[in-house]
Structures are given as structure tokens and as C-alpha cells.
């Protein structure tokens, strides 16, 4: 520290005194103020609209929903007060969501695993990725009529009601469930891929070093750690399935109550029914029904289901974050 | 203490145009405290704990006071980061803030342009003056256009080189200056930052395509374009390679006649290379402040001595 | 080695599964196109044009005689295409502007208490099923519009072509905007938050005020995400069948801008809603083929949107494609 390096000398002139007045005109121009005002306006209107929707749905829902409605089945009746509740639609929603997710999870996880852990040839991998993106962007109405097309073929007669003349009805829980699984697929694939990709390389290397092959590594090490990612994707998928109306309206046969086609669980799957979404639609002025109270009540229950699923997603994400050290 | 050799300014004739700072230091009487086995005369110098030791003679006629802090204290939540620091920042010289990590030097630096307010839990007491007025008196954005800052990681915006340098000029006030008006200022700023030769042909290239050292010099140009009076540098070379570091140090020293410069650095060699005055901080207190030669050669406080000797930090 | 063989088998198995899914998806797309082809071939380019009442034409197709040679295919789908484009485009444009401003508000200017409530609420709104929006629309907004915005004279002025009953493109665009906005806000907020603090602090340190810094640095850096959000929202808007069927009117009518303000109060029905409203008729061959033709248009539009979005994002990243 005792040697000085050569520093150029200060100039002989005194440095110019740069003084500026302390208070200048404000640094906010007119455009800036307008921008700020617009941002505030947007924010406030967002609060207002969001608040209105939430409050209104809660108000109407609580006004009309009753324990009775949730537990009794719908009945056909000319008298509004005797049309029963919406137990069957609730069961329909639950059943359909289950079917959709049960089909989508294994397929989705398998595809995600293939994409992240293998993915050869790369052309095929990219094609699969594009395919998943296309599905993600496809309107559910298109999936619905495509589903109808498939399930009305004679070789698919197994999956729904077949009339004597050979005409396949094509509408059943399994038909709708299969299409719903396509709806949920991109979310499961996306979340699982993210979860798998966030597992650092040294975890895999450690497993290989212990003599485990790739398949075992995936099964025993990677997938269990990706559990929360898979759960997140599944929950998001369930939310989407529960809220979808187009596929239900077209592929579920629009029967008021759950009407199995044959006996046993398979008969149930072959049968028709309705869900909360189609029930709301049918009871609104757009459908044939004329029971806005029932529609509000059912919408309220549907909303609760969606809120719970949403909250679950948040909880899963936070609680099971795997720690990698 | 051995007398230092005559300073070897390559370009200056001996004796003339040598900065007064150095002359004072070199011709100073040997101080009673020094490293080695000489006896330390405690009475002559107040206890370091009572306050910072400031070498009054380091003041020079060439420098002009730009900023001053008075009993400045900054606390995050309950923890005190800066404790009653009084400091002067003058144009015409480079002030280096040194000290071990966590001593508060970066916090102190960031309070000078009120950037510390961006941290939610920060509380500040004491006064900071710019040209005689308290910085709280005026618009914080106006303050920041007069007191510029350079960050540890070079942070050019994802725009072209020209747009980066012109950014500060374009985005203040209502009238957007036209490109023709901006060009001379941009060129001047790039020249002063020592980057003009390298980019004069590619002003429209993305700034992020430059190397680390070039990016940092671009940031210097960007700050200079708005004509600040003070420039705060927060460890500007710590992410750069030695060659870029050397170029930037040279640039800094060249700028000090126009702009008051405060540089935070944990690199003692760098501080000795560029600084005219040095302030040593430890755990929030300013322990010692004086001319670079004096603080490094003959530190007045025990703590300073330990730090410079590599005892900790 | 045994290990490699099992690995190989698993890889082949998974690869086969992935390929099957891909084939299924490709098959779906091709199938939909093929099924819809007859409708296009029988009408030629006039399919896209206007002329006649599209609902009548659909009715005629539905009532085609059973003999394949006598199938009726005539269709001029312009009112449906026009409605789709109009409603989707308007909703996305309004929603993007609103979403960017709201996101700026949430990230930079909102007081902490508001921010803490608003963010979860926005995420919740993004998950609300479209049928619920449709319900509120048809039970609250449509009657209100009918009461307050449609006077007798207005009805008279267009009575010769169309009935005004409150279901209208105004309500359709409004509710569609409210429906697609939350997900856009969520995406843009995430993007604004992930702009490196280095840049935002750098802008502040240069003496630029908060709005300017946010607009010129953060929003600018978030442009690719804004485009991605807009594409996502457009895809959702394009495919929205149920809600629009409930509130925009179930008439294949092309609203006429020359009607002045009444233009907004006229009903319309986009492609997706047309399909859902006519789904029972799918078993009649030419009718089904016409519906598949509509579906093909939707598929092509989604593909175009994705591609356009990708291209836009690439060009926006020009200045960030440096060492970062």
C-alpha cells in the first residue's frame, strides 16, 4: 500500500460549477400522469368488477341453495317447486372429472417422462410437443364434435347405447370422459415436465452410480419427487373438466338423472347423465328450463368446487416443494 | 516511516502540476503511529470509538464540496446498518469507501441517491445535503439525475447502445429530444467513458452483445449523459476481468475533475490505485477518513490497521 | 447388458405411447378437415362470402332429402365469420389494454392491502367456468341492456331485419373481455415481476420516474409475455361457445355498422356457438359436414394464432438475444 501508482494530475483549471436549481418543474409529464391515472382506473375497476361478481354470486347462491337441493335428485315436473334438486348433476360432475383424470394422468405422465427423459428422435419429440400445444389451443367444442364422430362409429358401440337399427348413440359418460381427458392432458404434461426438469442432474447421476437403470430411476426416484408437480397438473385439469360445458352438452346425453345403460359400473359408464355445468345451462333462459334460482344455486355449488380445487393447487405447490441440497 | 518516493507521473514534469493532495502527504511529518515497533502515542489522537478520525489536511483547494452527510443513520428493521456517519463528497477527487462485507458501505452509498428507499424496511435519520440543500427537499427523480449510480453487475437495458446512452435524456420531462439533438451528447458521453472507439460503428447493435467490461463502460456513459454532479460506484469492477478493471479505473480517475466520485470497493489495491480520499467503515461506524496515502500508509485507528494488514474482512 | 435392454424396451414403449397420442391428435385434425371438406367443395370460395340468411341455409341443409345426390350444401358463412372475428378481436384488444394497465397497477402502484386481496381474486376469476359468466350475463346484463339501452324506436329502426332483445355483441364482447382478462393479468403480472431488478433499479438511478421506468423498461421487457397472453386469450375467446350462445344472441346475423350505435345492440353468433346450438343435427350427413367445416375454420385460426404469436415473440426478443 505504500507505492502510489501513476495517476494523471487534475487539470489546472478549476472544475466548472454545475449548479442547478433545487426545485425544477416536476419530472412527471402530462403523458406520464395520464398513464398513471389510467393504471389506477384499471386497477380500481378491476377491484369493482371482481368484487361485484364474487359478491353477487355469493348472494344469489346463498339465497337459493339449500341442503335439500344438494341431496335430492332432479325430477321432471311442470310445477317448478317440485323439480327437485341437483344431486345427480353433482354426482355427474364428480364422476366425469374422475373418469377424465384417471385416463389423463397415466397417459400424461408417460408422455411427459418420454419427453424429458428420452425424447429421441428429436424430430418426433418436437412433433409431440407441437401436438400437445395444438390440443391445448383447440376449443372444447371441436373436441366435442370430434368425440361424437368417433363414438358414433359402430365399432365403438360398446361405449354407449346402441339402438336396434344399429345406430350408435355415441353419448355416454365414457365418451365425455375420454374427451375430457384430452382437455386435461396438456396441463398434466406441462406440470409434470416442469417438475421433472427441475430435478437437478446429480440426483439422476447418483442413482445410475448405484447401478440402477433408467427405468428404475424414473420409477423409484424421479416420479416420486415429481409428485407435487403431477398433482398440480391434475388439479388444474380437474378444474378445467369441472367447468367445461360444451363437451357435456354434446357428449353426455342430457338426461336429467344419471341413467345407466345396463348394470354394474360399466353400465354406469355407458349411461348418460348431466353435470352441474349442463344443469346450469339448461335451467337458464338459454336452455329449456325456466328456473333461475336453481341455476344460481347450482352455479354456486360449482363455484365452490372450483374454488376448492384452486386452493388445493396453491396448497400442493407450497407444501410439497422438494428441497434439493 | 520511509518517505515515499517522488510520485512518478509519467506526463507531468517534476514538481509542477502535482496534485496538492499528494504533496501534502509526501511532505508530511512522520506520524507517531505506524506499523512496526514504534510506540503509539495514544494521547495525541482521540480514541477511534469516539468518532471518525479525519485528516483535515487532506482538503485541497481544487476540490469543491458537493455532498455532505450529517450524523446519517440507516436501519433495516431493528438492525443498524449505518451509524451516525458524517462524510463529505467533493468534486475533483475520488472517495473510496472500504471495509469488510456488511459494514454498511453499500447502504451508505445507496442513501446518497435515496435508492435505499426502494427497500421497504429501511429507516433513515440524519441529513444528507447536496449543494447545501437537503436531499429530502426535492423530487427524488431530480436528485437521481444529479447523483448517478453504477451497479456491481453491469445492467445495460435490452436496447441498442445508442438508446441506452440516450435513455436518461429521453425519459425525463415532457419534451422528447430528437435524435439529432441527442447524438452529440451520446458521442461525448461515450468518449468520456472510454467506449467510443470500440462502438462508434455499431451504435444500433444490442447493448447486451457487448462484453462485461464494455457493458460497464456503457453504463458509465449512460450515467454521464445526464450530466450528474456526483457519480456513485458500487463495486463496479468486481464482476469484471483484470483488463476491463484497469480500463475502468483509468476512466474513473479521468472523470474526477468533472464529477465527484464515490466508489465502494472491497479491493484494497483498487482503492489505493484510484482513491484520493479513503473512508474506512466497520459494522456501520465510520472509523477513519482521510487522504489515501495517509490511511493506507499510516492509519490512525487500530481497526484500520488490522483491516489493511489483512487481519480480517 | 440386461440393463440396457430393459431401458431400451421402456424407451420404445413410452415412445410408442407418445407417438400414438401424436397420431391421435393428427388424426383428429385431419378427420375434422376431411369431414368438413364437402361443404367447402360444394360452395367454393363463396362459402366465405355473404348472401342470404345463413340460418335459413342451415335449415335447408338440415332438411336435405335422404338421397346423397340431393344433399343440400349451399351456405354463405360470412355472418358467422364476421361475428367470430368481430367479437374475438374486440374482446382481445380491450382485454390486452386493460390487462397491461391493471398489471402495472398491481405490480407498481397498488397499496399493499389491495394487492394482497386482488392477486388471489384475479387467479380465482381465471378459473371460473364460462357457463357461470354466461348465467350472470343472461340473467343480469342482458335484461339491463334490454331495459335501458334498447328503446322502442331503436327496435323499430331495425325491426325489418332483426329483433333486438338485449342479447347483443355488446354484452358478448363485454363478458368475453371480463372472462379472458384475469388470465392475461396473471401472466403479465408474473412477467413484470420477473424483469431483473438490475434494470428497474438502473432506470430509477438515472432519475426516471416510476411510471416511465415501468413503461419503458419493464413493460418493454415483458412484451413477449404480453403477446403470449394475448394469443392464449384469443384462443380461448375463439373457442368460447356456451357463454356467447347465451348472451350474444342465437341468430346468424351480421351486425351492421351503418346502424350507428344500434350496431352494438344487434345480436350475432360466432362459429363456436353455432356448432353448439346445432349439435343435435349432426346425424344428418350434410349438416354434420357443414358443422365440421366450421370446426376446421376454428382449428386453422388457432394454428394461425399460435404461429403469429411465436413469430411476434421472436422479433421482440431481438435486443435480448445477447449475453444475458
Amino acid at each position: 500500500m505504500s507505492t502510489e501508482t501513476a495517476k494523471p494530475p487534475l487539470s489546472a483549471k478549476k472544475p466548472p460549477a454545475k449548479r442547478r436549481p433545487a426545485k425544477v418543474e416536476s419530472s412527471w409529464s402530462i403523458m406520464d400522469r395520464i398513464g398513471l391515472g389510467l393504471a389506477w382506473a384499471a386497477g380500481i375497476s378491476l377491484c369493482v368488477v371482481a368484487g361485484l361478481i364474487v359478491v353477487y354470486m355469493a348472494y344469489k347462491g346463498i339465497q337459493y341453495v339449500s341442503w335439500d337441493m344438494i341431496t335430492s335428485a332432479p325430477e321432471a315436473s311442470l310445477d317448478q317447486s317440485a323439480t327437485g334438486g341437483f344431486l345427480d348433476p353433482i354426482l355427474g360432475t364428480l364422476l366425469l372429472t374422475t373418469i377424465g383424470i384417471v385416463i389423463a394422468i397415466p397417459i400424461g405422465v408417460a408422455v411427459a417422462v418420454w419427453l424429458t427423459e428420452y425424447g429421441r428422435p428429436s424430430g418426433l419429440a418436437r412433433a409431440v410437443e407441437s401436438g400437445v400445444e395444438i390440443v391445448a389451443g383447440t376449443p372444447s367444442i371441436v373436441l366435442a364434435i370430434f368425440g361424437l364422430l368417433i363414438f358414433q362409429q359402430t365399432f365403438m358401440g360398446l361405449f354407449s347405447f346402441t339402438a336396434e337399427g344399429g345406430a350408435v348413440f355415441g353419448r355416454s359418460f365414457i365418451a365425455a370422459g375420454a374427451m375430457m381427458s384430452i382437455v386435461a392432458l396438456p396441463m398434466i404434461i406441462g406440470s409434470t415436465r416442469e417438475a421433472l426438469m427441475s430435478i437437478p442432474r446429480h440426483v439422476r447421476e447418483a442413482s445410475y452410480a448405484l447401478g440402477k437403470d433408467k427405468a428404475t430411476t424414473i420409477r423409484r426416484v424421479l416420479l416420486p419427487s415429481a409428485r407435487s408437480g403431477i398433482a398440480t397438473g391434475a388439479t388444474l385439469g380437474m378444474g378445467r373438466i369441472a367447468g367445461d360445458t360444451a363437451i357435456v352438452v354434446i357428449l353426455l346425453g342430457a338426461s336429467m338423472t344419471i341413467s345407466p345403460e345396463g348394470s354394474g359400473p360399466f353400465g354406469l359408464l355407458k349411461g348418460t347423465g348431466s353435470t352441474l355445468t349442463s344443469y346450469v345451462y339448461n335451467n337458464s333462459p338459454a336452455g329449456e328450463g325456466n328456473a333461475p334460482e336453481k341455476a344460481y344455486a347450482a352455479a354456486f355449488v360449482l363455484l365452490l368446487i372450483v374454488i376448492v380445487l384452486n386452493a388445493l393447487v396453491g396448497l400442493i405447490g407450497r407444501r410439497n416443494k422438494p428441497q434439493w441440497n | 516511516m520511509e518517505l515515499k518516493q517522488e510520485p512518478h507521473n509519467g506526463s507531468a514534469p517534476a514538481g509542477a502540476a502535482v496534485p496538492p493532495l499528494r504533496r501534502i502527504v509526501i511532505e508530511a511529518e512522520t506520524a507517531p503511529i505506524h506499523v512496526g515497533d514504534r510506540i503509539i502515542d495514544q494521547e495525541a489522537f482521540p480514541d477511534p470509538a469516539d468518532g471518525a478520525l479525519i485528516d483535515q489536511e487532506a482538503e485541497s483547494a481544487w476540490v469543491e464540496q458537493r455532498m455532505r452527510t450529517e450524523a446519517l443513520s440507516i436501519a433495516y428493521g431493528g438492525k443498524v446498518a449505518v451509524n451516525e456517519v458524517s462524510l463529505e463528497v467533493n468534486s475533483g477527487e475520488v472517495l473510496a469507501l472500504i471495509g469488510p462485507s456488511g459494514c454498511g458501505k453499500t447502504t451508505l452509498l445507496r442513501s446518497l441517491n435515496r435508492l435505499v428507499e426502494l427497500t421497504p424496511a429501511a429507516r433513515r435519520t440524519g441529513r444528507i445535503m447536496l449543494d447545501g440543500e437537503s436531499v429530502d427537499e426535492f423530487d427524488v427523480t431530480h436528485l437521481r439525475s444529479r447523483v448517478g449510480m453504477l451497479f456491481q453487475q453491469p445492467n445495460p437495458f435490452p436496447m441498442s447502445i445508442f438508446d441506452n446512452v440516450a435513455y436518461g435524456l429521453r425519459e425525463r420531462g415532457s419534451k422528447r429530444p430528437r435524435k439529432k439533438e441527442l447524438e452529440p451528447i451520446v458521442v461525448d458521453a461515450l468518449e468520456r467513458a472510454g467506449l467510443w472507439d470500440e462502438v462508434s460503428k455499431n451504435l444500433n447493435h444490442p447493448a447486451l452483445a457487448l462484453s462485461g467490461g464494455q457493458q460497464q463502460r456503457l453504463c458509465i456513459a449512460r450515467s454521464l449523459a445526464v450530466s450528474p454532479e456526483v457519480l456513485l460506484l458500487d463495486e463496479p469492477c468486481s464482476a469484471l476481468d483484470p483488463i476491463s478493471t484497469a480500463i475502468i479505473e483509468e476512466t474513473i480517475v479521468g472523470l474526477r475533475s468533472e464529477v465527484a466520485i464515490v466508489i465502494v470497493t472491497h479491493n484494497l489495491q483498487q482503492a489505493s490505485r484510484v482513491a484520493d480520499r479513503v473512508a474506512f467503515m466497520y459494522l456501520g461506524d465510520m472509523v477513519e477518513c482521510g487522504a489515501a496515502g495517509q490511511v493506507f500508509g499510516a492509519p490512525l485507528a487500530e481497526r484500520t490497521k488490522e483491516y489493511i494488514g489483512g487481519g480480517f474482512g | 447388458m440386461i440393463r440396457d435392454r430393459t431401458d431400451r424396451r421402456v424407451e420404445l414403449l413410452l415412445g410408442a405411447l407418445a407417438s400414438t397420442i401424436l397420431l391421435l391428435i393428427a388424426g383428429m385434425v385431419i378427420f375434422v378437415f376431411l369431414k368438413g371438406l364437402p361443404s367447402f367443395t360444394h360452395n367454393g370460395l363463396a362459402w366465405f362470402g355473404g348472401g342470404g340468411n345463413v340460418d335459413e341455409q342451415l335449415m335447408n341443409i338440415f332438411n336435405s332429402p335422404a338421397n346423397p345426390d340431393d344433399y343440400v350444401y349451399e351456405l354463405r358463412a360470412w355472418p358467422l365469420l364476421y361475428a367470430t372475428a368481430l367479437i374475438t378481436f374486440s374482446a382481445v384488444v380491450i382485454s390486452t389494454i386493460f390487462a397491461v394497465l391493471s398489471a402495472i397497477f398491481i405490480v407498481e402502484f397498488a397499496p399493499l392491502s389491495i394487492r394482497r386481496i386482488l392477486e388471489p381474486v384475479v387467479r380465482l376469476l381465471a378459473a371460473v367456468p364460462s357457463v357461470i359468466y354466461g348465467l350472470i350475463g343472461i340473467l343480469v346484463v342482458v335484461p339491463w341492456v334490454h331495459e335501458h339501452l334498447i328503446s322502442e324506436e331503436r327496435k323499430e329502426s331495425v325491426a325489418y331485419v332483426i329483433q333486438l332483445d338485449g342479447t347483443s355483441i355488446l354484452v358478448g364482447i363485454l363478458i368475453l373481455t371480463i372472462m379472458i382478462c384475469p388470465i392475461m393479468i396473471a401472466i403479465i403480472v408474473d412477467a413484470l415481476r420477473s424483469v431483473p431488478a438490475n434494470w428497474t433499479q438502473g432506470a430509477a438511478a438515472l432519475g426516471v420516474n416510476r411510471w416511465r421506468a415501468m413503461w419503458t423498461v419493464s413493460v418493454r421487457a415483458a412484451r413477449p409475455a404480453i403477446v403470449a397472453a394475448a394469443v392464449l386469450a384469443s384462443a380461448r375467446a375463439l373457442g368460447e361457445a356456451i357463454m356467447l350462445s347465451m348472451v350474444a344472441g342465437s341468430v346468424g346475423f351480421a351486425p351492421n355498422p351503418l346502424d350507428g350505435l344500434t350496431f352494438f345492440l344487434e345480436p350475432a353468433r360466432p362459429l363456436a356457438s353455432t356448432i353448439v346450438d346445432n349439435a343435435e343435427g349432426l346425424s344428418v350427413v350434410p349438416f354434420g359436414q357443414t358443422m365440421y367445416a366450421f370446426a376446421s375454420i376454428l382449428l386453422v385460426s388457432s394454428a394461425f394464432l399460435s404461429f403469429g404469436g411465436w413469430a411476434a415473440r421472436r422479433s421482440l426478443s431481438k435486443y435480448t438475444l445477447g449475453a444475458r
Side-chain angles (χ1 to χ4, degrees):
Chain A
M1 297 307 142
S2 54
T3 48
E4 298 262 343
T5 51
K7 271 192 260 188
L10 285 173
S11 61
K13 299 194 297 273
K14 203 162 154 6
K18 291 186 213 143
R19 299 290 167 95
R20 272 179 291 189
K23 288 189 177 63
V24 292
E25 82 284 347
S26 168
S27 49
W28 289 76
S29 72
I30 292 288
M31 289 305 293
D32 294 344
R33 284 183 220 269
I34 294 180
L36 183 66
L38 285 176
W40 268 91
I44 299 292
S45 29
L46 179 64
C47 292
V48 166
V49 170
L52 279 178
I53 295 179
V54 169
V55 163
Y56 189 75
M57 278 312 304
Y59 168 62
K60 285 293 192 190
I62 296 179
Q63 193 179 7
Y64 292 125
V65 84
S66 64
W67 185 247
D68 222 25
M69 284 196 167
I70 300 180
T71 50
S72 52
E75 292 158 37
S77 169
L78 287 174
D79 180 2
Q80 271 305 320
S81 62
T83 47
F86 41 82
L87 177 66
D88 282 57
I90 295 181
L91 294 177
T93 300
L94 294 175
L95 182 59
L96 200 55
T97 310
T98 314
I99 299 175
I101 279 296
V102 158
I103 301 179
I105 289 186
I107 300 182
V109 171
V111 173
V113 163
W114 183 79
L115 279 174
T116 45
E117 304 298 321
Y118 299 96
R120 289 180 306 196
S122 63
L124 184 61
R126 261 178 309 182
V128 171
E129 279 179 7
S130 311
V132 172
E133 256 194 60
I134 291 181
V135 168
T138 305
S140 62
I141 183 74
V142 173
L143 293 174
I145 57 173
F146 176 65
L148 197 61
L149 184 63
I150 299 275
F151 281 93
Q152 273 184 332
Q153 303 297 320
T154 27
F155 68 87
M156 295 297 258
L158 187 56
F159 294 117
S160 60
F161 166 69
T162 312
E164 265 93 44
V168 180
F169 192 36
R171 299 166 171 84
S172 63
F173 269 104
I174 205 170
M179 289 301 124
M180 288 295 196
S181 71
I182 299 184
V183 162
L185 206 57
M187 273 165 232
I188 295 183
I189 294 182
S191 295
T192 311
R193 278 184 84 188
E194 251 187 63
L196 285 174
M197 286 198 284
S198 73
I199 301 179
R201 218 162 38 122
H202 64 76
V203 173
R204 294 177 178 81
E205 287 168 2
S207 176
Y208 297 150
L210 285 173
K212 304 282 177 211
D213 64 14
K214 200 164 186 174
T216 320
T217 307
I218 294 177
R219 204 158 41 97
R220 288 282 164 80
V221 178
L222 298 182
L223 283 184
S225 323
R227 241 189 344 228
S228 70
I230 300 177
T232 307
T235 315
L236 286 172
M238 282 198 276
R240 245 199 104 173
I241 294 179
D244 190 278
T245 319
I247 294 182
V248 174
V249 160
I250 296 196
L251 280 177
L252 200 50
S255 64
M256 243 185 342
T257 55
I258 296 186
S259 323
E261 194 56 45
S263 57
F266 196 60
L268 184 62
L269 294 176
K270 269 175 76 170
T272 60
S274 63
T275 62
L276 282 172
T277 46
S278 64
Y279 185 84
V280 170
Y281 181 64
N282 285 327
N283 278 297
S284 73
E288 72 251 355
N290 211 339
E293 318 85 37
K294 301 259 167 79
Y296 274 125
F300 183 67
V301 174
L302 180 60
L303 203 53
L304 286 180
I305 295 180
V306 164
I307 292 180
V308 164
L309 284 175
N310 240 44
L312 268 180
V313 169
L315 276 176
I316 298 174
R318 250 172 303 158
R319 204 202 301 162
N320 292 345
K321 255 196 146 18
Q323 306 296 333
W324 302 115
N325 38 2
Chain B
M1 160 171 144
E2 311 105 25
L3 271 181
K4 297 200 190 35
Q5 302 156 308
E6 280 282 40
H8 196 63
N9 289 320
S11 49
V18 173
L21 287 161
R22 249 164 243 103
R23 200 161 350 136
I24 290 170
V25 163
I26 285 142
E27 296 173 55
E29 299 276 296
T30 53
I33 300 181
H34 80 111
V35 259
D37 46 13
R38 292 272 286 269
I39 296 163
I40 296 164
D41 184 352
Q42 292 284 355
E43 256 100 58
F45 295 90
D47 194 283
D50 287 344
L53 297 166
I54 297 180
D55 186 346
Q56 304 289 357
E57 291 167 25
E59 304 277 304
S60 148
W62 296 109
V63 305
E64 207 176 325
Q65 189 188 96
R66 283 272 171 248
M67 291 188 80
R68 182 174 88 241
T69 72
E70 293 173 3
L72 178 67
S73 296
I74 303 172
Y76 292 118
K79 181 174 170 310
V80 174
V82 173
N83 187 22
E84 307 258 326
V85 168
S86 300
L87 189 61
E88 278 172 20
V89 175
N90 308 315
S91 69
E93 66 175 19
V94 174
L95 169 67
L97 297 180
I98 60 173
S101 326
C103 67
K105 50 193 198 293
T106 303
T107 310
L108 174 61
L109 191 80
R110 285 171 154 246
S111 66
L112 293 178
N113 68 348
R114 285 174 66 184
L115 210 62
V116 82
E117 287 168 15
L118 291 185
T119 320
R123 301 264 171 279
R124 169 166 65 91
T125 51
R127 299 214 296 173
I128 307 177
M129 318 287 282
L130 172 64
D131 286 338
E133 282 131 24
S134 165
V135 302
D136 296 315
E137 295 284 301
F138 44 95
D139 194 13
V140 68
T141 44
H142 181 63
L143 167 70
R144 291 176 186 151
S145 69
R146 293 173 66 182
V147 180
M149 178 174 255
L150 224 70
F151 296 81
Q152 198 167 343
Q153 279 288 352
N155 57 354
F157 299 131
M159 306 169 187
S160 69
I161 295 175
F162 185 90
D163 288 336
N164 260 282
V165 182
Y167 182 76
L169 295 164
R170 280 190 174 131
E171 303 303 341
R172 62 176 183 188
S174 16
K175 256 194 347 152
R176 196 181 177 83
R178 277 172 316 165
K179 193 149 183 190
K180 273 212 272 277
E181 298 167 357
L182 292 171
E183 267 169 23
I185 307 182
V186 168
V187 171
D188 178 64
L190 284 170
E191 275 174 353
R192 284 153 73 198
L195 191 59
W196 174 246
D197 297 326
E198 291 163 56
V199 301
S200 58
K201 303 230 175 21
N202 332 329
L203 284 183
N204 283 323
H205 281 207
L208 292 172
L210 294 174
S211 74
Q214 289 173 321
Q215 286 184 9
Q216 193 64 299
R217 276 180 283 153
L218 177 64
C219 295
I220 295 179
R222 184 175 68 185
S223 301
L224 289 178
V226 293
S227 306
E229 293 160 37
V230 182
L231 198 54
L232 308 174
L233 309 170
D234 186 0
E235 302 200 38
C237 301
S238 59
L240 305 177
D241 61 274
I243 298 184
S244 308
T245 304
I247 301 179
I248 291 189
E249 284 176 9
E250 201 182 304
T251 311
I252 291 174
V253 171
L255 285 172
R256 74 197 153 135
S257 55
E258 309 149 36
V259 194
I261 300 190
V262 182
I263 177 169
V264 161
T265 178
H266 62 263
N267 182 338
L268 293 175
Q269 282 92 345
Q270 177 175 78
S272 72
R273 285 193 295 266
V274 301
D276 298 306
R277 252 185 341 126
V278 172
F280 169 61
M281 291 188 67
Y282 183 68
L283 293 184
D285 298 307
M286 187 163 79
V287 176
E288 183 168 348
C289 177
Q294 176 264 308
V295 172
F296 284 127
L300 300 172
E302 191 59 37
R303 193 79 71 177
T304 323
K305 225 188 316 170
E306 284 170 25
Y307 181 66
I308 289 174
F312 63 91
Chain C
M1 290 193 59
I2 300 182
R3 196 198 310 171
D4 289 340
R5 243 192 312 181
T6 342
D7 266 349
R8 206 60 195 130
R9 250 182 298 168
V10 168
E11 175 172 0
L12 285 175
L13 199 69
L14 287 179
L17 181 64
S19 314
T20 317
I21 301 293
L22 181 63
L23 281 174
L24 198 70
I25 296 172
M28 172 183 80
V29 174
I30 297 176
F31 226 5
V32 167
F33 276 119
L34 284 181
K35 266 291 189 166
L37 202 55
S39 179
F40 289 116
T41 49
H42 277 92
N43 286 292
L45 279 177
W47 193 95
F48 295 92
N53 184 330
V54 72
D55 282 342
E56 270 176 26
Q57 291 162 352
L58 284 175
M59 186 60 76
N60 291 337
I61 301 179
F62 183 66
N63 289 326
S64 295
N67 186 353
D69 293 327
D70 295 330
Y71 280 162
V72 177
Y73 279 106
E74 173 158 358
L75 184 73
R76 300 286 175 266
W78 171 248
L80 307 176
L81 300 173
Y82 172 54
T84 310
L86 180 64
I87 294 179
T88 305
F89 185 72
S90 314
V92 171
V93 165
I94 299 177
S95 184
T96 305
I97 298 175
F98 191 79
V100 170
L101 288 171
S102 309
I104 293 178
F105 176 75
I106 292 177
V107 170
E108 181 70 32
F109 298 109
L112 189 61
S113 46
I114 295 189
R115 198 186 311 162
R116 255 188 291 199
I117 304 180
L118 208 49
E119 283 195 61
V121 167
V122 164
R123 274 173 218 276
L124 174 66
L125 286 179
V128 169
S130 53
V131 73
I132 296 187
Y133 284 111
L135 187 70
I136 299 185
I138 199 172
L139 287 178
V140 178
V141 186
V142 165
W144 188 90
V145 166
H146 191 204
E147 283 273 320
H148 296 99
L149 294 181
I150 301 182
S151 59
E152 277 308 314
E153 326 149 312
R154 228 190 259 283
K155 283 199 208 175
E156 300 288 309
S157 68
V158 286
Y160 57 98
V161 259
I162 190 71
Q163 301 280 24
L164 297 181
D165 61 2
T167 58
S168 53
I169 56 173
L170 174 68
V171 183
I173 295 177
L174 177 68
I175 303 203
L176 190 59
T177 307
I178 298 179
M179 210 172 87
I180 61 180
C181 218
I183 189 67
M184 288 191 76
I185 295 180
I187 294 178
I188 299 179
V189 163
D190 278 345
L192 287 177
R193 287 238 170 89
S194 66
V195 173
N198 242 353
W199 285 341
T200 51
Q201 290 196 352
L206 282 169
V208 174
N209 66 51
R210 281 164 79 195
W211 166 264
R212 282 291 183 98
M214 163 63 74
W215 187 253
T216 55
V217 175
S218 299
V219 170
R220 195 197 156 104
R223 277 180 313 181
I226 297 178
V227 169
V231 168
L232 191 69
S234 313
R236 205 173 157 195
L238 207 58
E240 184 47 52
I242 288 287
M243 187 276 289
L244 287 174
S245 155
M246 288 165 97
V247 308
S250 293
V251 198
F253 176 73
N256 189 353
L258 294 175
D259 285 338
L261 283 179
T262 314
F263 166 68
F264 293 104
L265 299 168
E266 290 165 4
R269 192 185 58 209
L271 284 171
S273 303
T274 310
I275 300 178
V276 95
D277 282 348
N278 289 302
E280 309 87 29
L282 280 173
S283 41
V284 175
V285 173
F287 195 72
Q289 290 171 331
T290 312
M291 292 297 131
Y292 282 106
F294 294 152
S296 326
I297 302 281
L298 286 177
L299 273 180
V300 168
S301 313
S302 307
F304 256 122
L305 271 177
S306 288
F307 182 72
W310 172 83
R313 262 177 296 159
R314 276 209 65 193
S315 79
L316 283 176
S317 308
K318 186 159 63 125
Y319 282 117
T320 38
L321 287 180
R324 183 79 196 123

